Amino acid sequence: MERTFIAIKPDGVQRGLISEIIGRFEKKGFTLVGMKFMMVSRQLAEQHYAVHKERPFFAGLVDFIISAPVVAMVWEGDGVVASARKIIGATNPLTSEPGTIRGDLGVSIGRNLIHGSDAVETAQQEVALWFKPEELSDWKPTVNPWLYE
Ligand code: IDP
Ligand code: MG
């Protein structure tokens, strides 16, 4: 089944929003298959955001991501990559729809609480970058027959 990489950024951790954010994915019906609370190394942050390395906000973004712990997660489910992006909302919280994590909980693009992979292929790369295979649990929630027909 499809998997995506989700990370609660340092602002989400500092603001005490870990359970609020995790709860949205859990209540939706997606399956948590990996999670770690960690300080991010500068090297990992730079690798994760390599696609943005020429952008003016890159240095500040990397400094921010390594400034406090993050909650790195892998979530599983049919269509989870695109659905998680909808749950997260648009990049700028001021224009994210209400009902989304960023739309409900944030006010600034540089403090937008959460990362989510933007495509299935990116998700596979990001899961592999952040997690060793043995850090992921293959399991089937007993509730699945009530989520999927
Ligand atoms: P995404 O997180 O919605 O996929 P991206 O465009 O991939 O957004 O940008 C990655 C992250 O870089 C954003 O989540 C945000 O934290 C930061 N970022 C993007 N654009 C800006 C900006 O204009 N100023 C400051 N930070 C930005
Ligand atoms: Mg992105």
Side-chain angles (χ1 to χ4, degrees), residues 60-81:
L61 176 60
V62 169
D63 286 344
F64 163 59
I65 290 296
I66 68 174
S67 66
V70 307
V71 181
M73 296 174 279
V74 179
W75 287 87
E76 184 178 85
D78 278 352
V80 68
V81 175

Side-chain angles (χ1 to χ4, degrees), residues 26-144:
E26 207 177 25
K27 280 178 258 184
K28 171 75 172 166
F30 291 130
T31 304
L32 183 63
V33 295
M35 175 161 70
K36 49 190 176 184
F37 182 74
M38 59 188 280
M39 292 297 296
V40 180
S41 68
R42 185 172 289 278
Q43 189 199 351
L44 175 57
E46 286 177 352
Q47 252 182 295
H48 174 73
Y49 283 122
V51 67
H52 297 304
K53 66 176 180 293
E54 308 302 337
R55 309 282 285 276
F57 59 80
F58 178 74
L61 176 60
V62 169
D63 286 344
F64 163 59
I65 290 296
I66 68 174
S67 66
V70 307
V71 181
M73 296 174 279
V74 179
W75 287 87
E76 184 178 85
D78 278 352
V80 68
V81 175
S83 179
R85 291 284 292 192
K86 289 204 152 208
I87 290 168
I88 289 168
T91 305
N92 185 346
L94 282 183
T95 54
S96 314
E97 292 296 325
T100 65
I101 291 168
R102 288 168 173 168
D104 287 348
L105 305 173
V107 288
S108 119
I109 193 166
R111 299 289 183 270
N112 64 3
L113 295 160
I114 180 165
H115 168 83
S117 307
D118 61 9
V120 172
E121 203 189 342
T122 326
Q124 287 163 355
Q125 292 161 3
E126 291 178 351
V127 168
L129 177 66
W130 286 78
F131 286 87
K132 301 183 186 117
E134 62 269 25
E135 291 174 325
L136 302 176
S137 302
D138 277 312
W139 67 294
K140 290 283 163 270
T142 54
V143 75
N144 273 6

Side-chain angles (χ1 to χ4, degrees), residues 16-27:
L17 294 173
I18 295 172
S19 62
E20 163 76 33
I21 290 171
I22 292 177
R24 293 183 179 218
F25 295 96
E26 207 177 25
K27 280 178 258 184

